[in-house]
Amino acid sequence: MIDYQRPLRVRYAPSPTGQTHVGGVRTALFNYLLARKTGGALILRVEDTDEERHSPQSEASMMADLRWFGLSWDEGPDVGGVFGPYRQSERLGLYDGYSRELLESGTAYRCYCTPDELDAERTEQRARGIVATKYSGRCRRLSAAQRAAFEEEGRKWSLRFHVPPGRSEVDDLIKGKVHFENDAFGDFIMMKSTGGPTYNFAAAVDDALMQVSVVLRGDEHLANTPVQMMLLQALGLQQPRYAHVPLILNEDHSKLSKRHNTVGIEEYRSQGVLPEALLNHLVLLGWSPGDDREEFTLAELPEIFSLERIHKSPAIYNADRLRAFNQRALRKLPPPQLRAMIASAMQEAGFLENPAPEPALRWLDLFIEAYGEELHTIGDAIPRVKALRDEAVVVPALELERLRSRDVLFYLDAVSQYVDDQSELRGLPLSHDLPEIAKEFGLKKKEAFHCVRMALTGEKGGPPLTLLFPLLGHDRIMMRIGAISSHLLHGRGLEPIKYGPDGQPFEPIRGVKSESPDSA
Ligand code: GLU
């Protein structure tokens, strides 16, 4: 159990090598919540000793991703703090000092084995049927003379930790007591032959020096924990408590991957996922509040969140749930903000000039009124906008057949005429006017509306025609009705057909009113 009355010092320790992964952000979030819950501190520690893979840009974008998500930290490379520096690459002297201590006490030793020798050792172990191969410890048994000979040769060395015999116990705050046979680890490397510390060594030392009280991280690090505990014990440093959060899996229970789901924060952002929706989605991956509440704000979560309610079993990523959260979050946005987001997505897609002209913004207001509720992501707006702007419309074959009647075609023509007579399509009393026109052709109100909607959009449902008319505008309405009529009059089969200037020839229906629609 953890005492939430005492301020906890926790840390998020990414190795920024590329995209910020959604699993990492969840770890950061859980740590943030523990820090805020207890009035403690969240440390952002950059684990960048793997120089080849790390870049300053990836560190900056990782921080930007965390901030976009709404997180803040109390100590870190950018904000400072008394336990800094917070980049491991700036702490190399510290690791050197501690490694020397272990070398001198005999707990660590120099290993002069070359990569080829280590390979040969593994091959030999596999030949004996050993699957989990490990270092034999042979450099631990070198005589002083052998060691001197290797030094003389100028061989490079790494520093290995002499793993004591016995069993290790991790008393995990989420998983309970987990045991490991020390023998399975083999003497592991703490300092690489290139001079830098390994992840386990640097992380263990820093957790102690930064006075971290709880190390909360992904389950994949559980097997590192006994190793880190051994190091701290050998150094006489304070061990933190550990809490390993369950993995996030794809729906087919494979490890969460790009192939099945979005995993990069940058991608979520560019898809128009809002941070508040991602927050609801992530906090419920591996944690539950104990009731069926699903919607939380970052401000209220610290109070509700606790380690006790983190699950032991893996969490299954649910893309639909995220879409639903995002839909709700989009609905709550003030319309001007939603408009700005859609406008910028349209600009990116090349559908809108930058800056957006005033009439386009008014059109967007109408668009939001018509489609705002149905958007699950900002990205959903783009195909909608495209469908409205297109001169073409796709009508399913069966629906097309329903339109193939003299009365319907005459009615559509009359609607087209009616539109042509208007100087403004906003605010037309369509629920009165369209049935009135329909009466002349013996059509019922419901059928009349259906036919107009179908001819204009190819869809059965959608926003009210009073919004659809001004969204489509005079020319597109004329063109779409004209194209449908022209097609039906000249009868070109039952396939769903793409109409438009590049498809069917456009012939206005006016003037052919008296012809039989089936004459072709
Ligand atoms: N740098 C490690 C990672 O990104 C941190 C693991 C830990 O939290 O100890 O996976």
Side-chain angles (χ1 to χ4, degrees), residues 39-83:
L42 173 63
I43 302 161
L44 178 67
R45 185 172 76 221
V46 176
E47 305 211 322
D48 59 348
T49 56
D50 199 348
E51 311 88 16
E52 278 164 34
R53 298 175 57 216
H54 178 264
S55 76
Q57 292 91 308
S58 46
E59 180 184 309
S61 70
M62 174 273 296
M63 289 195 199
D65 287 342
L66 294 179
R67 288 215 183 83
W68 169 80
F69 188 68
L71 300 185
S72 55
W73 41 97
D74 310 290
E75 297 170 32
D78 55 338
V79 292
V82 293
F83 296 93

Side-chain angles (χ1 to χ4, degrees), residues 11-15 27 45 47 199 203 207 215-218 220-221 228:
R11 64 13 165 224
Y12 173 55
S15 312
T27 302
R45 185 172 76 221
E47 305 211 322
Y199 152 67
D207 287 339
V215 167
L216 180 147
R217 60 185 168 197
E220 67 274 21
H221 288 293
Q228 295 176 10

Side-chain angles (χ1 to χ4, degrees), residues 441-455:
F441 304 95
L443 294 178
K444 299 232 165 56
K445 184 174 168 182
K446 204 171 153 206
E447 192 184 4
F449 280 120
H450 175 85
C451 293
V452 171
R453 185 182 292 286
M454 195 47 74

Side-chain angles (χ1 to χ4, degrees), residues 2 9 90 158 162 174 182 233 289:
I2 207 90
R9 288 181 58 79
E90 293 165 14
S158 57
H162 180 187
I174 295 165
N182 288 0
Q233 199 179 1

